[in-house]
Amino acid sequence: MPRLPKPHVHSVRAKLLLAVIPIVVVAIGALTFIAVERATDAQTDAVYREGAELTAHHANAFEAEARERIALARSIATLGEHVRSATRAELKELVRGFLARNPRLLAAYLAFDTNAYDGRDAEFAGRPGAGPEGRIALYWTRTGSGELVFDPELDPNAEYWTVPKTTREDGVIEPFLYEGEMMTSYVSPVLSPAGEFRGMSSVDMSLADLDARVSRISILDTGYAFVVSREGLIVTFPDERLIGTETLARLARRTGNADLLRVAAAVRAGRSIRLETTDPRTGKEVVVFTAPVPTGGWGFVTVAPKDEILAEASALRTTLISIGIVAVVVVGLVIWWLATRLAKPIAQVAAATERIARGDLDVALDVRSRDEIGRMAQAFRAMVDELRELAGIADAMAAGDFSRRVRPRSDRDVLGHAFARMSDELRDALGERSCLEDLTERMDTLEQRDLAQLEAGLRAMADGDLTRSATVSTEPLTATDGRLARIFNGMLERATSSVESYDAMRVRLGAMLNEIRATSEQVASASQQMAATSEEAGRAVGEIANAIADVAQGAERQVQ
């Protein structure tokens, strides 16, 4: 058998690796790029959102404090609106007691417009503890030692008087420096039941505590926060030289940073904004967040260095890129391992197929998986088993054993069906155990012995010798030895019948000759009988010859 050419092919593992790994690398790279971009944007947005939320949180805390202080001023105003029966001295002590009960306040103030309280301003004009016009102006202050001091002065042009008089609403006046300390006043109008302005009340608060608390606010690593008033006056700031002396507008002109004007406008409008600008302190790129403090119209501002904001995003970008590289390596190793695992059983099947193509059925597959490759190996083993079975049946048939049946595996088993038909035909012709050898032996015996005796007897009879007998000693084949055996047995029966007819004719001829010798008177009739007998014998010989010819032709056909 010629050797099959061995084709030059790449391994399945190499093909899988070459086909899959580039796609995986591109896919993971693309996913990593998308993830990095989205995560960076998300991280940046998260930091921006956190900065805005932090700014709003501190602004809300400051707003709560402002409302609390406004409530204090409102309490004094309520006192002036409803306590109408108290004397001026009693009212003075009520304000003093209020300041004494609120140690965080620097001052408490209650003042009335001309004759708005008791209509006796002229009576008290010029008296000690009263102003030159006699109007009620009860201003108590707290000294550095904690002593409470009374001051009856009233400036009708001052902001603490004009703001509540003009707006008829609670408010906060612009902060101011007093003896080197930043202060502000929370004012509230005193109104009549008809809503007419009768006076005002206020509480003064130091902003030093606010500055200390704001300076402790941590914005990333080096960021900071500060507070500005409605008019842009810097109330708290890391550079103390600017507190109470500088506004955002002047700072913008001095530093050439117009973005500070946008911050001042946002505070004045009570809006929250976020903008990227240059830090007026360090010159670095920063992100500024503002949040309004509605009470007073102030603004809370936080400043975050841009590089610190993006630091987490950059770290996240580096982490994701590293994860992507590791993922590519890990996935590549996994694909290599899977390709090796997939290619190994396929290589076993290929090698086994090549051996079968060379006629070697002594192959075995050590593949036990339950996936498609396992199914392929199982089908291959079934095919090898079927080929081995057919080879064994072919060997048995070659040895004359036709008893083994071929069972096709399915309706589409072409080889199995063909083999089964061939086996059935041979079994039908020769039997389950081949009778061909016995048939040949018996045909030889019939021809060489039995038919030879018959031929010799007929020749002798033709020569007038009736002493030659003929018998058939050939044994018939068993009935289960197939169709050829049955044909041979039929031919043997006809040959036996012809031999028996010959032998019976020979005996009758002998008897007739004996009668002719014994009775001479019957010579004529014996001659006639003899002639008749000869004619009959001729017919018998013809029949025997025909029978022999039939037997010979049948044997020849069977042998062929």
Side-chain angles (χ1 to χ4, degrees):
M1 181 177 179
R3 294 176 59 86
L4 294 174
K6 188 174 183 179
H8 179 70
V9 295
H10 294 291
S11 66
V12 174
R13 180 178 66 182
K15 289 183 178 180
L16 286 174
L17 293 177
L18 290 176
V20 175
I21 285 184
I23 297 175
V24 171
V25 170
V26 172
I28 292 179
L31 291 176
T32 302
F33 176 78
I34 295 172
V36 166
E37 291 300 316
R38 291 187 176 181
T40 301
D41 293 342
Q43 181 67 22
T44 303
D45 292 342
V47 174
Y48 283 170
R49 186 167 54 252
E50 182 180 352
E53 291 174 353
L54 179 65
T55 305
H57 169 75
H58 288 293
N60 291 336
F62 186 31
E63 168 68 9
E65 291 183 3
R67 288 182 177 275
E68 179 183 348
R69 292 162 185 172
I70 282 290
L72 293 174
R74 181 72 250 169
S75 298
I76 299 175
T78 302
L79 181 69
E81 290 173 351
H82 297 286
V83 180
R84 302 298 303 275
S85 60
T87 64
R88 295 192 176 199
E90 292 173 342
L91 194 61
K92 176 181 177 182
E93 287 302 316
L94 287 175
V95 175
R96 181 183 183 281
F98 184 87
L99 178 62
R101 290 191 300 273
N102 293 275
R104 294 181 59 189
L105 300 179
L106 290 180
Y109 194 22
L110 177 62
F112 288 90
D113 205 355
T114 303
N115 293 320
Y117 179 70
D118 56 5
R120 301 172 61 190
D121 289 351
E123 181 181 343
F124 287 91
R127 289 188 183 186
E133 298 178 357
R135 289 194 298 179
I136 296 177
L138 308 175
Y139 183 59
W140 286 93
T141 62
R142 192 188 309 274
T143 64
S145 61
E147 181 183 0
L148 303 183
V149 178
F150 178 73
D151 185 355
E153 292 186 5
L154 173 64
D155 183 1
N157 298 317
E159 191 177 5
Y160 64 80
W161 179 266
T162 59
V163 167
K165 183 176 182 179
T166 303
T167 64
R168 302 288 201 275
E169 293 180 352
D170 300 335
V172 183
I173 67 173
E174 278 291 294
F176 55 91
L177 278 173
Y178 180 75
E179 296 181 357
E181 184 174 5
M182 280 295 292
M183 296 177 56
T184 191
S185 296
Y186 297 87
V187 298
S188 182
V190 177
L191 303 176
S192 68
E196 297 176 349
F197 179 78
R198 297 178 56 217
M200 53 75 60
S201 66
S202 70
V203 292
D204 294 345
M205 293 288 300
S206 170
L207 299 177
D209 180 62
L210 174 65
D211 181 57
R213 284 187 289 114
V214 172
S215 66
R216 290 194 296 268
I217 295 175
S218 176
I219 308 296
L220 299 178
D221 294 332
T222 61
Y224 59 93
F226 64 95
V227 178
V228 294
S229 70
R230 186 178 185 280
E231 300 302 325
L233 181 67
I234 296 176
V235 179
T236 68
F237 202 75
D239 187 352
E240 295 182 357
R241 295 173 300 175
L242 304 181
I243 298 177
T245 62
E246 190 72 281
T247 64
L248 289 178
R250 288 197 298 269
L251 185 61
R253 288 192 296 270
R254 183 161 59 83
T255 59
N257 187 350
D259 290 329
L260 295 178
L261 296 177
R262 294 176 58 192
V263 175
V267 172
R268 190 163 47 251
R271 294 185 293 106
S272 296
I273 65 168
R274 183 194 78 201
L275 58 86
E276 297 180 7
T277 185
T278 303
D279 189 351
R281 293 177 58 237
T282 63
K284 292 182 178 181
E285 293 294 321
V286 294
V287 179
V288 176
F289 303 89
T290 68
V293 181
T295 301
W298 291 11
F300 198 92
V301 184
T302 57
V303 179
K306 193 173 181 179
D307 57 351
E308 294 179 12
I309 288 179
L310 299 178
E312 294 186 12
S314 299
L316 180 61
R317 179 193 297 268
T318 302
T319 301
L320 289 176
I321 292 175
S322 301
I323 291 174
I325 294 173
V326 172
V328 169
V329 174
V330 171
V331 170
L333 293 175
V334 171
I335 292 174
W336 179 86
W337 178 75
L338 289 175
T340 301
R341 186 172 182 180
L342 290 174
K344 183 177 179 181
I346 295 175
Q348 291 184 19
V349 173
T353 304
E354 291 177 353
R355 291 177 60 183
I356 291 174
R358 293 193 295 269
D360 182 7
L361 297 180
D362 188 17
V363 295
L365 290 179
D366 186 19
V367 180
R368 303 297 177 185
S369 62
R370 297 184 179 181
D371 53 13
E372 288 78 2
I373 295 179
R375 290 170 55 193
M376 178 184 69
Q378 184 178 359
F380 188 86
R381 282 192 290 265
M383 180 189 71
V384 172
D385 292 341
E386 182 177 4
L387 291 176
R388 287 174 180 167
E389 181 181 356
L390 292 178
I393 293 175
D395 286 340
M397 291 170 62
D401 183 5
F402 300 105
S403 61
R404 297 175 62 178
R405 263 68 173 177
V406 178
R407 295 180 177 84
R409 301 300 176 96
S410 68
D411 293 339
R412 303 176 65 86
D413 186 0
V414 177
L415 180 61
H417 282 290
F419 219 96
R421 286 194 300 270
M422 181 183 70
S423 176
D424 292 342
E425 290 292 335
L426 290 174
R427 188 183 304 107
D428 181 60
L430 300 176
E432 292 189 353
R433 297 289 177 178
S434 177
C435 66
L436 189 58
E437 184 176 351
D438 290 342
L439 178 62
T440 304
E441 180 182 351
R442 282 168 171 73
M443 289 288 290
D444 287 341
T445 301
L446 180 62
E447 181 184 4
Q448 299 297 329
R449 186 179 61 189
D450 297 341
L451 293 181
Q453 287 182 9
L454 178 60
E455 183 181 7
L458 290 172
R459 286 197 185 99
M461 180 181 290
D463 294 336
D465 184 3
L466 299 178
T467 61
R468 291 286 188 95
S469 63
T471 60
V472 176
S473 61
T474 301
E475 295 293 333
L477 296 173
T478 59
T480 60
D481 285 341
R483 183 157 39 87
L484 290 180
R486 293 191 294 273
I487 293 173
F488 173 77
N489 288 340
M491 181 182 67
L492 181 61
E493 288 178 1
R494 293 178 65 185
T496 301
S497 176
S498 297
V499 170
E500 288 176 352
S501 296
Y502 159 76
D503 203 49
M505 180 188 68
R506 182 184 63 79
V507 171
R508 287 197 301 272
L509 286 174
M512 291 176 63
L513 289 175
N514 287 334
E515 289 179 1
I516 290 172
R517 292 189 190 99
T519 309
S520 57
E521 291 86 357
Q522 298 177 349
V523 172
S525 60
S527 298
Q528 294 176 353
Q529 289 178 1
M530 217 175 149
T533 302
S534 297
E535 184 179 354
E536 184 178 338
R539 287 195 300 270
V541 170
E543 291 177 358
I544 292 172
N546 291 333
I548 292 172
D550 291 340
V551 170
Q553 290 176 0
E556 182 178 1
R557 285 195 302 270
Q558 295 301 320
V559 170
Q560 290 176 352

